[in-house]
Amino acid sequence: MNELPALESLLFVAGEEGLSIEEASALLGIYPDRTRYLMERLKWQLATQPLTALTIRQVNGRFQLTTKVAYGDVVKQYAQSPFAARLTQSALETLAIIAYEAPVTRMAIDQIRGVHSSGILKKLMQHGLIEEKGRQDSPGHPILYGVTDYFYQYFGLNSLDDLPAIEALMTNEKAETHDLYARHNDMSQSDEESRNR
């Protein structure tokens, strides 16, 4: 196994929660000193590569793979564009989990969905639909997510009490929730088509 790309791939899937040296060491099966060296080497390699938009950032002892500041405007442009405006089924699923389970960690969301959600969480945060609500008091102190005030406005809700009862969802009576989200996406699509005329 090539350790450098393996470390890069771990940072990618860890998303905004990042990894500590100890966590990366355990996953790679190598000593922390070796991991620290590889992290610095990867950081230097990305920083000196003009043909990559990625960099490594350290926050509270955790390392994250992020985009370089120089590309902030183009990333922001995408987040505010019509291409990013319509929520995908995966984004709606993730948003529903956060609305019902908040405050909730990415790992808990991943377990419910059965797939990694870090990219979707970033998109939902860029849209202002979710936000960090603190950190869980557990190893790694993962971020806790919850919905924003804009979430209520976005879906025309007054509070979470307006969502369908969780019992109905658990007995597969999902039509009401599906209709709420589908109706919103239909309205978004109509608005977008009107703007494009």
Side-chain angles (χ1 to χ4, degrees), residues 51-185:
L51 297 180
T52 180
L54 301 177
T55 188
I56 292 178
R57 189 175 141 212
Q58 186 177 355
V59 180
N60 295 327
R62 302 181 71 77
F63 296 86
Q64 303 169 331
L65 193 62
T66 65
T67 53
K68 291 176 180 174
V69 175
Y71 299 98
D73 287 344
V74 73
V75 171
K76 185 177 178 182
Q77 187 178 347
Y78 168 76
Q80 295 174 345
S81 73
F83 305 113
R86 193 158 186 240
L87 295 177
T88 64
Q89 184 64 34
S90 298
L92 290 172
E93 286 172 6
T94 305
L95 195 53
I97 292 167
I98 295 169
Y100 282 103
E101 300 291 329
V104 62
T105 65
R106 180 184 61 81
M107 190 172 292
I109 295 166
D110 290 350
Q111 286 174 346
I112 294 169
R113 295 189 64 235
V115 293
H116 290 290
S117 306
S118 57
I120 292 170
L121 289 172
K122 284 180 184 176
K123 186 172 182 177
L124 291 173
M125 287 190 78
Q126 287 169 346
H127 283 306
L129 293 168
I130 64 169
E131 63 186 356
E132 293 182 18
K133 296 290 187 181
R135 289 190 174 262
Q136 190 175 63
D137 188 18
S138 63
H141 301 289
I143 296 167
L144 291 165
Y145 295 97
V147 297
T148 63
D149 290 341
Y150 178 59
F151 166 86
Y152 301 107
Q153 181 185 343
Y154 191 81
F155 287 106
L157 303 171
N158 292 317
S159 72
L160 293 179
D161 294 336
D162 292 340
L163 290 172
I166 192 72
E167 294 78 14
L169 297 177
M170 294 177 80
T171 56
N172 290 327
E173 296 172 18
K174 299 182 182 177
E176 193 177 346
T177 303
H178 181 270
D179 288 347
L180 170 69
Y181 291 143
R183 189 166 61 248
H184 172 75
N185 270 341

Side-chain angles (χ1 to χ4, degrees), residues 11 17-25 35 39 60-63 140:
L11 289 170
E17 288 185 18
L19 290 171
S20 67
I21 292 294
E22 293 72 23
E23 290 166 344
S25 297
T35 305
M39 194 73 76
N60 295 327
R62 302 181 71 77
F63 296 86

